[in-house]
Amino acid sequence: MKTLFKNGVIITANEQNEWFREGYLLVEGKNIVAVGSGQPEQEADIDQVIDLKGQWVMPGWVNTHGHAAMSILRGYADDAPLKEWLEEKMWPMEARFNRDTVRWGTALAVVEMLKSGTTCFVDMYDHMDAVAEVVEEAGIRGVLARGIIGLCSQEEQTAKLKEATEFARNWHGQAEGRIATMMAPHAPYTCPPAYIDRIVDRAHQLDLPVHIHLSETAGEVRQNVSQYGKRPVPHLRDIGVFERPTLVAHAVHLEEEEMDILQEYDVKISHNPASNLKLGSGIAQVPKLLERGFRLSIGTDSAASNNNLDMFQEVRLAALIHKGVNQDPTVVPAQVALKMGTRWGAECAFVPHVGALEPGKEADFIIITPNQAHLQPVHDPVSHIVYSASGSDVCHVYVQGKQVVKDGQCVTLDEEKIIYEANRVLKELLQVY
Amino acid sequence: MKTLFKNGVIITANEQNEWFREGYLLVEGKNIVAVGSGQPEQEADIDQVIDLKGQWVMPGWVNTHGHAAMSILRGYADDAPLKEWLEEKMWPMEARFNRDTVRWGTALAVVEMLKSGTTCFVDMYDHMDAVAEVVEEAGIRGVLARGIIGLCSQEEQTAKLKEATEFARNWHGQAEGRIATMMAPHAPYTCPPAYIDRIVDRAHQLDLPVHIHLSETAGEVRQNVSQYGKRPVPHLRDIGVFERPTLVAHAVHLEEEEMDILQEYDVKISHNPASNLKLGSGIAQVPKLLERGFRLSIGTDSAASNNNLDMFQEVRLAALIHKGVNQDPTVVPAQVALKMGTRWGAECAFVPHVGALEPGKEADFIIITPNQAHLQPVHDPVSHIVYSASGSDVCHVYVQGKQVVKDGQCVTLDEEKIIYEANRVLKELLQVY
């Protein structure tokens, strides 16, 4: 099955930042086979032609850090000191999460992500079978890991590792290749070094990447130094974590020497601007990291600390905030922000076969209808995507060439039922609590 | 004509931050006559009852600083140093703006603002008759001023002041009271002190407030000190500006003594977070100003430096950014951000008869349909409005009790024609340029 999308604005997010004012995208099965300006040379063997009539096509967003199920706790606690937010609000509620909670929380998040143009998300949570099942049903792409907190007995540690291993082994490559898995020790401050070592050892055996929270707050860095005599980056290096391909989330508080180490091991970084702001964690040194050559990615973190999963807003924030903090309007230009949300996001999530519109990539892309005032007049569509658009401008979404959002509605999921169930599980949590 | 809106979530933005999970709003003609929880005591003399079925009602946003016509230049220049952006991009293009450009640029902005829930905006620009005509036709509320740049001959200064005066006199109170006017010397660095003095004198004669840019960048503060021997706030005080009710835009770079002066004269402040970030101007000391008791407001500035006019995104940014910069998640809580965008915004724009849902205010309000995943589950609607929503969640908009947006479409303006004309005038500007 070959489908030609023609007469569209094509934003490729390729290495050269090309975009075509009038171009086409040719998709065969799961894959992109041709992209270009004007019309393709031959249309002979094309099964279906879709006239975009000036709509904009771009790669789907890749959200490189989150905890989808926590959408159930959206707005449950805001504006509180981090310790109180975590210990008095999040943890007691999360302790009551079961497979049902995770299922509907994740489904709610996936509806939101798909409709706002995210085609791939990284997720670190518990009850991951439920998450994987939602991904399979929804048609979205997921890079999934059972997040392991190791502040427990040896027996519990072993049980959690077993569960994480089974999940990673069972689901890697499933859902027609839309699911990939990782091993995820939660953070240096929630996992003893010996346990991180065991988890990483398992990642070696399974040949999977590692995903871990890193230096989100100044407090956890201080704690790491007082507990282990070194900052988190050398600490993780010395345990051997970075011997595996690794994606770290946040990386807000880094010293130059730590950047050196991350760069030496080609560690991938997920920048989470909204969550870092909302929780008062601080502001990552994005311009410095970009200058060093890091191909950074962007994550929303969970809806409990954001409080939405709209990657347009997240990318806009990543493009805006560092200009202000550094009093330099030239840092994080639009094309870089776009790549952080797409091409580089895919690289950081270890799914480099998506994230750009170019031959050889799988066909994960979104179509925007720019008929709203805030996307007009049209001078530079990339500027409008980064600085003006929001998730509601997304009209159609495709993953592996298959349409999952049509005219702004999910094709694969029952939105109304999911919203009903999400409210039901929240109500149950609040009653117990 | 009395209309009862019932069975809605009512967010009042009143002094007590009240909101009602199931409440009503009673509107008579232009005015709100009753608001409350449950049902009103008597429905006998009500002409029309609208069942909100759980939709959310809140005051329309008040955008306290902008240059609507510059929407024509949305995305025309990004990521450039301020001097280059202004001198090589904005000014040459703006020099070619005529009444037609301003008319369609403003119409485009007003479509965007109304549809995203802004019911009142402050505008400082040129060809203000065209702006006022759009406001009159659109049914939006506008606080308008001819922005005066005084770096010109005495004759030109006199001509500009005459024009500004005529505009202010002719339009104040027009459009059934939806238009108010101000006198607006552009900024301390673009107006010689003697000229500012003349403009303020005129404001006294007309009994109108003053609107002026203030300390947006560190550079202009330095320039002020080197040129006049003092920082901008004492400089303006000494000219006598603050003897008039004054609204200043930006106020990014303030020393404590300057805050003292602004407070002494009850000067109103428009905080423009996105524009200050995007142009690399810096980050206003909002938590400190709030702590001092300033009732701050929020403005988008123009779409050329934002690049949208969505007050939901602007309010979210105002709530997020200061938490991160100050590493304190408790600053600018949701209820404060909401009031900055509504009640306090109205006070800062000198239209205190709007900005809240309470008896005695005029009926400027918006209705949100929370049936999207990103506004679910519903625990706290105020949190969702501030942290999760965006302009596209607005369904209906009323100004002075009259509906101007219905089911997400402008009732009063021809959106399609406006988008067409906006692209036409941009094309013409680019050809000349």
Side-chain angles (χ1 to χ4, degrees):
Chain A
M1 175 78 173
K2 265 191 179 174
T3 304
L4 174 68
F5 297 82
K6 67 176 190 180
N7 299 325
V9 172
I10 311 286
I11 292 133
T12 67
N14 68 11
E15 210 56 65
Q16 300 78 40
N17 301 327
E18 282 179 295
W19 67 274
F20 308 114
R21 200 171 284 281
E22 278 196 46
Y24 65 89
L25 176 72
L26 185 58
V27 175
E28 183 171 12
K30 290 181 178 181
N31 300 304
I32 295 169
V33 291
V35 183
S37 185
Q39 303 285 337
E41 284 178 24
Q42 51 169 38
E43 293 193 22
D45 57 344
I46 288 163
D47 303 292
Q48 189 186 12
V49 177
I50 294 175
D51 190 333
L52 295 168
K53 295 175 183 160
Q55 288 179 304
W56 305 349
V57 187
M58 61 171 278
W61 298 116
V62 180
N63 183 344
T64 57
H65 182 66
H67 317 281
M70 291 179 78
S71 289
I72 290 296
L73 301 180
R74 185 196 317 274
Y76 171 66
D78 305 302
D79 311 327
L82 185 63
K83 197 175 147 71
E84 179 189 323
W85 180 79
L86 258 182
E87 295 178 9
E88 293 175 31
K89 294 289 185 171
M90 291 298 122
W91 287 348
M93 285 293 265
E94 287 186 276
R96 289 172 172 81
F97 272 36
N98 56 29
R99 197 189 154 94
D100 188 48
T101 330
V102 170
R103 191 212 159 146
W104 295 112
T106 302
L108 185 72
V110 168
V111 167
E112 181 184 357
M113 288 193 279
L114 279 179
K115 290 178 75 171
S116 56
T118 293
T119 51
C120 178
F121 72 110
V122 173
D123 202 58
M124 182 206 281
Y125 212 63
D126 196 1
H127 303 287
M128 292 303 293
D129 286 333
V131 175
E133 284 164 18
V134 171
V135 170
E136 185 162 44
E137 183 186 348
I140 198 170
R141 193 181 295 272
V143 181
L144 314 177
R146 204 285 193 203
I148 308 176
I149 294 183
L151 303 172
C152 51
S153 70
Q154 189 93 20
E155 292 68 37
E156 283 172 286
Q157 285 187 354
T158 300
K160 284 182 178 178
L161 180 55
K162 184 163 178 282
E163 188 191 309
T165 305
E166 279 169 12
F167 170 76
R169 186 182 283 135
N170 292 344
W171 283 99
H172 190 67
Q174 293 300 303
E176 300 183 304
R178 284 184 287 103
I179 293 177
T181 59
M182 304 198 286
M183 294 299 284
H186 175 270
Y189 67 94
T190 53
C191 287
Y195 191 39
I196 295 180
D197 186 48
R198 287 177 67 197
I199 300 169
V200 171
D201 201 49
R202 198 58 56 86
H204 278 295
Q205 290 166 24
L206 297 168
D207 195 22
L208 291 175
V210 170
H211 183 31
I212 188 165
H213 292 98
L214 177 76
S215 301
E216 180 176 0
T217 65
E220 74 191 62
V221 174
R222 281 194 301 271
Q223 186 189 324
N224 205 93
V225 171
S226 88
Q227 200 164 358
Y228 303 115
K230 45 195 160 185
R231 292 175 63 92
V233 173
H235 174 69
L236 291 182
R237 178 201 52 196
D238 294 349
I239 299 172
V241 174
F242 304 147
E243 306 290 337
R244 292 298 317 153
T246 302
L247 167 64
V248 298
H250 304 299
V252 175
H253 301 274
L254 294 180
E255 291 190 340
E256 295 280 349
E257 298 71 28
E258 293 183 284
M259 295 183 193
D260 290 341
I261 294 170
L262 294 176
Q263 206 151 15
E264 182 188 343
Y265 288 88
D266 191 23
V267 173
K268 312 297 187 189
I269 298 176
S270 177
H271 173 43
N272 294 193
S275 175
N276 295 159
L277 292 175
K278 185 157 190 291
L279 297 176
S281 306
I283 294 165
Q285 299 166 72
V286 165
K288 186 171 281 181
L289 291 165
L290 288 172
E291 210 173 286
R292 276 174 168 261
F294 279 93
R295 293 161 75 98
L296 302 173
S297 65
I298 295 175
T300 56
D301 210 349
S302 89
S305 63
N306 189 305
N307 294 347
N308 66 46
L309 307 176
D310 181 348
M311 281 288 286
F312 285 89
Q313 288 195 45
E314 204 71 27
V315 167
R316 180 173 185 252
L317 196 52
L320 287 179
I321 186 171
H322 307 289
K323 293 174 168 67
V325 169
N326 296 281
Q327 296 194 27
D328 180 355
T330 68
V331 301
V332 199
Q335 278 285 6
V336 169
L338 180 83
K339 283 203 286 199
M340 287 168 72
T342 56
R343 182 185 197 86
W344 295 353
E347 291 173 7
C348 289
F350 306 106
V351 286
H353 50 289
V354 300
L357 304 184
E358 52 188 11
K361 301 277 190 201
E362 293 195 10
D364 293 11
F365 62 96
I366 65 181
I367 299 176
I368 294 165
T369 307
N371 65 352
Q372 296 295 312
H374 64 273
L375 299 180
Q376 295 290 336
V378 182
H379 182 69
D380 174 356
V382 173
S383 166
H384 286 4
I385 285 168
V386 170
Y387 292 119
S388 313
S390 75
S392 58
D393 296 312
V394 173
C395 200
H396 309 296
V397 178
Y398 292 78
V399 178
Q400 283 188 335
K402 192 183 150 200
Q403 187 158 18
V404 289
V405 171
K406 188 175 181 178
D407 296 319
Q409 297 300 315
C410 279
V411 174
T412 49
L413 297 172
D414 182 341
E415 292 180 40
E416 214 170 312
K417 179 178 170 60
I418 290 167
I419 287 174
Y420 171 84
E421 297 289 353
N423 280 281
R424 174 184 62 78
V425 299
L426 173 63
K427 206 171 157 192
E428 287 172 12
L429 285 172
L430 290 170
Q431 277 167 349
V432 178
Y433 190 49
Chain B
M1 175 79 173
K2 263 192 180 174
T3 306
L4 174 68
F5 297 82
K6 66 177 190 179
N7 298 326
V9 173
I10 311 286
I11 292 135
T12 66
N14 68 9
E15 210 55 65
Q16 300 77 40
N17 301 327
E18 281 179 296
W19 67 272
F20 308 114
R21 199 171 285 281
E22 277 196 49
Y24 65 91
L25 176 73
L26 185 58
V27 174
E28 182 171 13
K30 290 180 179 181
N31 301 306
I32 295 169
V33 290
V35 184
S37 185
Q39 304 286 337
E41 284 179 22
Q42 51 170 39
E43 293 192 22
D45 57 343
I46 287 164
D47 303 292
Q48 189 186 14
V49 176
I50 293 174
D51 190 333
L52 295 167
K53 294 175 183 159
Q55 288 179 303
W56 305 350
V57 187
M58 62 170 278
W61 298 116
V62 180
N63 183 345
T64 58
H65 183 66
H67 316 282
M70 291 180 77
S71 288
I72 289 296
L73 300 180
R74 187 197 315 273
Y76 171 66
D78 305 303
D79 312 327
L82 186 63
K83 197 175 148 70
E84 178 189 324
W85 180 80
L86 258 183
E87 295 178 9
E88 293 176 30
K89 294 290 185 170
M90 292 298 121
W91 288 348
M93 285 293 266
E94 287 186 277
R96 290 172 171 82
F97 273 34
N98 56 29
R99 196 188 155 94
D100 188 48
T101 331
V102 169
R103 190 211 160 147
W104 295 113
T106 302
L108 186 72
V110 168
V111 168
E112 183 185 355
M113 287 193 280
L114 279 178
K115 290 178 73 170
S116 57
T118 294
T119 51
C120 178
F121 72 110
V122 173
D123 203 58
M124 182 206 281
Y125 212 63
D126 195 1
H127 304 288
M128 292 304 293
D129 286 335
V131 175
E133 284 164 19
V134 170
V135 169
E136 186 162 44
E137 182 187 349
I140 198 170
R141 193 180 295 272
V143 181
L144 313 178
R146 203 287 195 202
I148 309 176
I149 293 182
L151 303 172
C152 51
S153 71
Q154 189 92 20
E155 291 70 34
E156 284 174 283
Q157 284 187 356
T158 299
K160 283 182 180 179
L161 180 54
K162 182 163 179 283
E163 188 191 310
T165 304
E166 279 170 11
F167 171 76
R169 186 182 285 134
N170 293 343
W171 283 99
H172 191 66
Q174 293 301 302
E176 301 183 304
R178 284 184 286 103
I179 292 178
T181 59
M182 305 198 286
M183 294 299 286
H186 175 270
Y189 67 94
T190 54
C191 288
Y195 191 40
I196 295 180
D197 187 46
R198 288 177 67 196
I199 300 169
V200 171
D201 201 48
R202 198 58 55 89
H204 277 295
Q205 290 166 25
L206 297 168
D207 195 22
L208 291 176
V210 170
H211 184 31
I212 188 165
H213 292 98
L214 177 75
S215 302
E216 180 177 1
T217 66
E220 75 191 62
V221 173
R222 281 194 302 271
Q223 186 189 322
N224 205 93
V225 171
S226 90
Q227 200 165 357
Y228 303 115
K230 44 195 159 186
R231 291 176 63 92
V233 173
H235 174 69
L236 290 183
R237 177 201 52 196
D238 294 349
I239 299 172
V241 174
F242 304 147
E243 306 290 336
R244 292 299 317 154
T246 303
L247 168 64
V248 299
H250 303 299
V252 176
H253 300 275
L254 295 180
E255 289 190 341
E256 294 280 349
E257 298 72 27
E258 294 184 283
M259 295 183 193
D260 291 340
I261 295 170
L262 295 177
Q263 206 150 15
E264 183 189 342
Y265 287 89
D266 192 23
V267 172
K268 312 297 185 188
I269 298 176
S270 177
H271 173 43
N272 295 192
S275 175
N276 294 160
L277 292 175
K278 186 156 188 289
L279 297 176
S281 306
I283 294 165
Q285 299 165 74
V286 165
K288 185 172 281 180
L289 292 165
L290 288 172
E291 211 173 287
R292 276 173 168 263
F294 279 93
R295 293 160 76 97
L296 302 173
S297 65
I298 295 175
T300 55
D301 209 352
S302 89
S305 63
N306 190 304
N307 291 349
N308 66 46
L309 307 177
D310 181 348
M311 280 288 285
F312 284 89
Q313 287 194 45
E314 204 71 25
V315 167
R316 179 174 186 252
L317 197 52
L320 287 179
I321 186 171
H322 307 289
K323 294 174 168 64
V325 168
N326 296 281
Q327 297 194 27
D328 180 355
T330 69
V331 302
V332 198
Q335 279 285 7
V336 170
L338 181 82
K339 282 203 286 198
M340 288 169 70
T342 56
R343 181 184 197 87
W344 295 353
E347 291 173 7
C348 289
F350 306 106
V351 286
H353 51 288
V354 300
L357 303 185
E358 52 189 10
K361 301 278 187 198
E362 293 195 12
D364 293 10
F365 61 96
I366 65 179
I367 300 177
I368 294 165
T369 307
N371 65 353
Q372 295 296 312
H374 64 273
L375 300 180
Q376 295 289 337
V378 182
H379 182 69
D380 175 356
V382 173
S383 166
H384 286 4
I385 285 168
V386 171
Y387 292 119
S388 312
S390 75
S392 58
D393 295 314
V394 174
C395 200
H396 309 296
V397 178
Y398 292 77
V399 178
Q400 283 187 336
K402 192 183 151 203
Q403 187 159 18
V404 288
V405 171
K406 188 174 179 179
D407 296 320
Q409 297 300 316
C410 280
V411 174
T412 48
L413 298 172
D414 183 341
E415 292 180 41
E416 214 170 313
K417 179 177 169 61
I418 289 166
I419 288 174
Y420 172 84
E421 298 289 353
N423 279 281
R424 174 183 63 75
V425 298
L426 173 64
K427 207 172 157 190
E428 287 172 12
L429 286 172
L430 290 170
Q431 276 167 350
V432 178
Y433 191 51

